[in-house]
Amino acid sequence: MPIMLANICCVCGSADIEHLGEKHGRDIGKCTVCGLIYTLQYALDYGKLYTEGSLYHAERIGHIPYRSRYLHDLHVAASRIEKLKHIQHPRSLDVGCANGAFVELMRDNGWRSEGLELNPGMAIWATEHTGCTIHTSWETVRAPFQVITYHDVIEHVTDPIAELERARDHLTLDGLLILDTPDGGAPEFLADVLGNKHTKPLEHLWFFSQQSLEELLREAGFFPPEIDRPIPGKIVAYARRCS
Ligand SMILES: [Zn+2]
């Protein structure tokens, strides 16, 4: 049994929960103050899941499964950048870029596109395929960007507010954050939280609803976001920094 660290609600800071059940050796609870559903523990070495080996990214690096995933990612990304055509002199950063699909698409649409991928092996793979700069740490990332994207990332992060504050600080004053995550407020999710395909508590720590996502963004210094749901079961936020 690994040593565990305890989560408190990342939106309101309360530790007061309604216990919803257990899955994969982790407890799932609902914040009684703000309603956020979240995974109550994570392993002390949780970060290694993303930085060591190829286990987490296995499905994205093998040639045949990777190819189908990649085409899917490109299709999804294309629908998103339609919203960004008005931005001038564009520079973009995709955080948690994995195979680099979105980085490549942004580059092909005229952006100076960079990625950030914590897994060194995956970052090398993405660099070779995109020809773009793929960082493995925030330390080498140089602000500012007109757009910073998080595709299926924020639910993995142990401190989402700190992460989004860092993103805000790397945006231009009129910059745009684009963030998507499983929709923790979707009726089909709430009807069967433990059975939902997105309830993977070894990697997914937070299940944001529109309300909790809006509150999280407000806490991190963003204006109320525009919300979109282009894919069933997912929620996308487009948010601008307050200052
Ligand atoms: Zn809460």
Side-chain angles (χ1 to χ4, degrees):
M1 188 68 170
I3 300 169
M4 297 289 201
L5 298 171
N7 271 329
I8 60 169
C9 177
C10 71
V11 172
C12 75
S14 172
D16 205 23
I17 58 111
E18 172 193 348
H19 191 255
L20 299 182
E22 188 229 302
K23 188 175 184 181
H24 303 162
R26 302 289 188 271
D27 294 298
I28 311 290
K30 179 178 182 178
C31 175
T32 59
V33 176
C34 77
L36 177 69
I37 294 171
Y38 63 98
T39 301
L40 302 182
Q41 315 90 10
Y42 59 95
L44 184 62
D45 63 352
Y46 172 74
K48 290 182 181 176
L49 176 64
Y50 306 109
T51 58
E52 294 191 357
S54 58
L55 196 62
Y56 175 71
H57 285 298
E59 71 180 72
R60 297 188 179 191
I61 208 164
H63 289 297
I64 294 171
Y66 168 79
R67 189 68 192 158
S68 57
R69 172 76 198 200
Y70 190 72
L71 291 172
H72 172 75
D73 285 356
L74 281 178
H75 177 72
V76 172
S79 69
R80 290 170 181 153
I81 63 164
E82 280 297 306
K83 293 181 179 285
L84 311 176
K85 282 183 172 173
H86 63 288
I87 298 175
Q88 302 294 312
H89 312 296
R91 190 164 175 253
S92 64
L93 176 70
D94 188 35
V95 181
C97 69
N99 58 37
F102 191 76
V103 175
E104 181 177 345
L105 190 82
M106 293 298 276
R107 182 206 65 200
D108 289 348
N109 280 270
W111 289 68
R112 286 180 286 159
S113 181
E114 299 177 23
L116 171 56
E117 171 51 51
L118 297 179
N119 186 289
M122 197 75 217
I124 290 169
W125 201 97
T127 300
E128 290 173 350
H129 274 73
T130 65
C132 298
T133 299
I134 308 292
H135 305 272
T136 54
S137 151
W138 274 101
E139 288 179 18
T140 58
V141 176
R142 295 290 169 261
F145 296 89
Q146 279 78 14
V147 165
I148 297 180
T149 50
Y150 285 81
H151 298 142
D152 299 309
V153 170
I154 201 66
E155 65 273 17
H156 298 262
V157 174
T158 55
D159 190 343
I161 288 182
E163 178 67 27
L164 295 180
E165 285 176 338
R166 183 158 47 187
R168 181 199 62 201
D169 292 343
H170 282 75
L171 280 168
T172 56
L173 288 176
D174 62 347
L176 184 67
L177 175 82
I178 305 177
L179 179 160
D180 67 55
T181 187
D183 186 357
E188 64 270 23
F189 175 77
L190 296 173
D192 183 13
V193 171
L194 294 178
N196 189 273
K197 66 177 180 180
H198 294 302
T199 305
K200 299 187 283 186
L202 296 181
E203 47 189 85
H204 288 178
L205 303 181
W206 319 102
F207 305 94
F208 296 106
S209 65
Q210 177 173 343
Q211 181 185 20
S212 53
L213 191 57
E214 288 173 345
E215 182 61 18
L216 183 79
L217 287 163
R218 192 186 68 77
E219 288 284 339
F222 289 88
F223 283 118
E226 179 189 338
I227 297 290
D228 194 9
R229 288 183 176 81
I231 308 165
K234 301 288 288 297
I235 184 170
V236 186
Y238 296 83
R240 295 193 185 277
R241 57 180 286 180
C242 291
S243 59

